[in-house]
Amino acid sequence: MPFAIYTHDSWSVVKVASFKTLGEAQQVFSAVCCDPWYQQDGGVKGVELVQNAEDGASQRLDWFAFR
């Protein structure tokens, strides 16, 4: 699947989900950015939306940092 959402914290990067379409990925990305659990957790530093290429390369399409 060419699109994925990852969360970042002080220790690692965690894959949240993969999607076939950019539209689906953007909807979930927006939901994660607004989710109270992620906002209040304190350990999760950010979330990113990436596009994965077949050759293993990836490109960041969007990023959100929690405060």
Side-chain angles (χ1 to χ4, degrees), residues 14-65:
V14 177
K15 187 176 195 176
V16 175
S18 296
F19 303 92
K20 290 182 181 180
T21 69
L22 179 57
E24 291 173 318
Q26 287 173 321
Q27 286 179 332
V28 175
F29 178 82
S30 294
V32 170
C33 291
C34 296
D35 188 292
W37 184 87
Y38 283 103
Q39 292 178 357
Q40 297 170 6
D41 177 71
V44 178
K45 303 300 181 191
V47 59
E48 73 176 329
L49 171 60
V50 300
Q51 182 175 14
N52 296 312
E54 289 183 17
D55 63 2
S58 64
Q59 177 180 358
R60 180 185 288 171
L61 301 177
D62 207 348
W63 167 260
F64 180 80

